[in-house]
Amino acid sequence: MSLFIIVALPFLGAFLPGLMNSAGRSACAGVTFAVSLAAFIGLLTNLPLVLAGEVVTARVDWMPSLGLNFTLMLDGLGFFFALLILGIGLLIIAYTRNYLSRDDNMGEFFTYLLLFQGAMVGIVLSDNILLLLVFWELTSLSSFLLIGYWKHLPEGRQGARMALTVTGMGGLAMIGGMLILGQIVGSYDLSVILENRDLIQADPLYVPALILILLGCFTKSAQFPFHFWLPHAMAAPTPVSAYLHSATMVKAGIFLMARMWPVLSGTPEWFMIVTTAGLVTMVLGALIALFKHDLKALLAFSTVSHLGLITMLLGTGTAFGAMAAVFHILNHATFKAALFMSAGIIDHEAHTRDIRRLGGLRKLMPITFMIASLAALSMAGIPLLNGFLSKEMMLEEANHTVLFGLPWLVPALATFGSLLSAAYCFRLIGHVFLGPVRDDYPAKPHDPEAGLWMPPAILVVLVVVIGVAPFLAEPFVKLVTASVLGDAAEVPKAYFKIWHGLVPALFMSMIAVVGGLLMIAVFTPALRLWDTTPRPEAKAIFDTIINAVVRVSQQVILPLHNGAFTRYAAVAAVTILAAGFHAWSTGSVGTATRTLQPADPVLIAGWLMLVAATCGMVLMHRNRFLSLILIGIVGLMVSVGFVFFSAPDLAMTQFTVEVVTIILMLLALNFLPNRTPIESSVLRRVRDTGIAIAGGLATFALAYYYLLRDAVSTPISEFHLANSYKGGGGTNVVNVILVDFRGFDTYGEIIVLGIAALLIYALTETLLGGPVRARLLNRLPDQARAGDVHPMMMVVLTRVIMPVVLLVGFYIFWRGHNEPGGGFIAGLIVSIGVVMQYMASGFAWTSARLRYPYHGVIGAGVLIAGFTGIGSWFVGKPFLTSDFTYVRIPPFEKFELATAALFDLGVFLAVVGAVMLSLESFSRLARRAHVPDNEHPMDIDPSRENPLQIGAKPAKEGG
Amino acid sequence: MEFLVASAIGVLTAGGIYLMLRLRTFPVILGMSLLTYAVNVFLFSSGRLTVGAPPILSDGVSVYTDPLPQALVLTAIVISFGMTAVVVMIGLGAFLGSDDDHVDDPSEDADDKAEGTS
């Protein structure tokens, strides 16, 4: 199966559990299982190729210019991890079906689980480090959802937040490291990077890159000093803990260290950092684990400890260490997942995970006892179980490792860590299962149904099989090791055997086991000593740091960001000015290449009017109606300016938009107060004037310098002018750009316009559905109304004019491709025609005659434009490729038919719909309770029998 | 000619910024409209100023003004209508809901009081 499908399956499948939620819990778990199984089988189909030593790849160029490609690669290492992720994932899904209670939303859980699974598979199969980073962040996000799945538990939410913060920060650091790595090599493809060991290690940026990448790995894999998030993530449901903390999430960091091993390892920096961190984590984690009373917390710290062990092995930088690490990853995944699931079973049946309240479960839960004991003994390193084998290899490796020039340091600490590890395993068995049966369990424990114990049992079978017959796992582990090592080293010859003879590792192992037993014997006094020793509480430190960061950012941000729009506007204006000034003072400006053109008297007159109107607006803005008239003048002058400077299309658009904007503002002003009171102090006004004048001068200077210089390079417009007729079939280049060259932009814009109109409609609906409704209905106008609101003259005139307006709109629309015009302008013209009907004949009368809702018109417009674009797919062209032809239907002249016209029709409809929906929404607010809707177009109509039955009451009201 | 256009842009910007910094919704909206004009004219003028050469292809004419800024500004004009309408609606909704057309939330902060109201 293609690697793409393997990675995509969990993501696509993530939709299914949510959809199947109502079909029952089994159906929900069933589809999830089926999705994972399909991916699992798909992975297995690639096994023969991987066994043959080939690297399976799949590649799609995504953003080649950025070096970001969707490249997947499946080698031994990737296969190994994908196998763990998908295989243990299957067991977890089966286990979850029985674990979650009826109150838990199973669809939600499985959706998160599949998202997480997909992200993990993506990490281990990525052949592009940028793509890997994307998946890496996805695991942080989806694990956040999983850990915080029980939203009602504060610990769950806090644990999820902490995990996200720590792994997210690590991810950020890693992005930096990966980018440096990509810069050094000149490629972001992993397969290329892995071949450039010498280049990378010789680069001066090797150490920063190494530290940043290791930060990502250490946070993800809970290495000291970032180990503290993992135990807090235990607030998650147990299947999540079993999955995330045995085989997947925390192994992602390990995976990356293994993946990068050929290029990053072998240097003193790598050795020092990785081995030390691993060693400290291993001992510290084991020590804390021993004294934890919560079963899951014990397992969590033991996970931390074992991850430290693996990290240390990778840190040694030898081929044997890498092989031991790979083997231990496999063994740890099997026994740890089984242990977590057993802990979940105990919690499920006994209703407590507190070791102090348990004991004697051996007789009550024999099956669980068997499973958990075998897994725990394996973790303790007892022969004939798989944990023994990799622990032996670890001790062997530790024996050859010299850190800080002290040959005894690493072996001693490794033995001590193993001793503690054995001790907490014995404690787990002894204090939970052995001992007398108690009679004060919170619930009566018994073995659960097969659905719960079967998944861990399968894993324990693996534990025993590998432990008894290690030669079965040997070829596979060596295959994986070979792909970890790459070209950097040879796979070690050593065989996997239970009996190596009387080697030092065996003695160290014996010391560990015997020491562990002794430790349990003196556990009670040791615990007392532990409890009296003061220790830093990681969560308190974390919270203190977070609170400090929050305080600092509040102090920095709140003074600027205090919720006052005026302050934002002022800050933004000043900032932009400062940035512009900086650019101005540091950049260089060439000499003017264009000459000043003489000013026309018409232009001067227009300029005078524009400036006068603008100044008038500013000075008299307190009179809102007057300022509305003045802004109309400004708009008109801008339109005239467009005509003057050879932009007829723009002039027509600006002019028509001006009309609808003014109508809109008038509708709003109908409700708003007529005057703006004086509120701001003189000082404030002076300050604002200063900002405004500075802004005005800046834009003036920018525009003036700009206008007197030619473009540095040839504008793309040359292409548009040259190809407009040949390629687009139109002589109006502006229109051809809109509907053809940049049709996709236009398509986006009409969608935005439609959304804006729908938003206005939605806001109106909300207003009319809420408490504002009564206020609106009983509102008294603050000004006298006209006696004859809908005068006959106007009604008749607008109706006579309507066909003419439509005709003009039709004409403007059709000639748009070759002469000034087009869908935008025609849409605006037709809208004005319709608005006039509303104004003249009244809202109720017009709406009653409206056949199509404006939402539909917007939708039809967007759909027509969209389908026109899709149409070009059928002839094998990209979206929105236009075509045109000339036809002649006698007796007419030959004329042109272009698909662009169809697209323009979509634009036209969307514009009409959007403009009308906005204006209609506003006018709906204006209906009032004591004024009946006018069913007649005219208030005074001599042809009616009762001509004085007037819709709107005359001017007596209000005032 | 260039001077007139550039100064018109400057005047529109200055007026727009001043009105944007007012305290009530209506002048702020008008200020944004003025700023929209300024931006549109500025973008338009990035094609430089040409008189009497509209970008309508015809035989025998070889000088045309730059059509691309025109196309961009055309859609910008229409979109800005949509955005103005949304902002007006939001302002209106806020006024109808609270009988107050201040753009800023009333603040208890004494510092702001000195700055905001008289």
Side-chain angles (χ1 to χ4, degrees), chain A residues 414-438:
Chain A
T415 313
F416 184 55
S418 304
L419 186 153
L420 292 170
S421 173
Y424 64 66
C425 292
F426 295 145
R427 177 169 182 234
L428 194 154
I429 299 171
H431 290 190
V432 173
F433 291 103
L434 303 181
V437 175
R438 300 166 63 146

Side-chain angles (χ1 to χ4, degrees), chain A residues 395 415 418-420 422-423 426 507-517:
Chain A
L395 293 172
T415 313
S418 304
L419 186 153
L420 292 170
F426 295 145
F507 293 112
M508 288 155 81
S509 211
M510 278 155 69
I511 295 171
V513 173
V514 175
L517 284 172

Side-chain angles (χ1 to χ4, degrees), chain A residues 562 565-567 597 603 607 624 646 658 677 679 684 687-688 692 699 706 709 717 731 733 749 775, chain B residues 1-2 4 7 22 24 37 46 48-50 52-53 55 57 66 70 75 79 96 101-102 104 115 118:
Chain A
N562 65 346
F565 172 81
T566 34
R567 181 171 291 196
Q597 301 175 57
L603 190 67
W607 182 85
R624 295 182 171 183
S646 327
E658 210 51 51
E679 281 179 326
R684 187 192 168 99
R687 186 199 76 182
D688 292 349
T699 42
Y706 198 59
R709 278 152 189 84
S717 315
T731 52
V733 187
E749 308 221 22
R775 255 226 336 260
Chain B
M1 211 156 70
E2 277 80 3
L4 291 183
S7 59
R22 297 304 88 210
R24 303 287 185 131
Y37 289 131
S46 71
R48 310 304 187 278
L49 303 178
T50 317
L57 303 177
D66 192 341
Q70 295 196 14
T75 47
I79 290 279
L96 292 174
D101 65 344
H102 281 95
D104 300 341
E115 194 183 2
S118 61

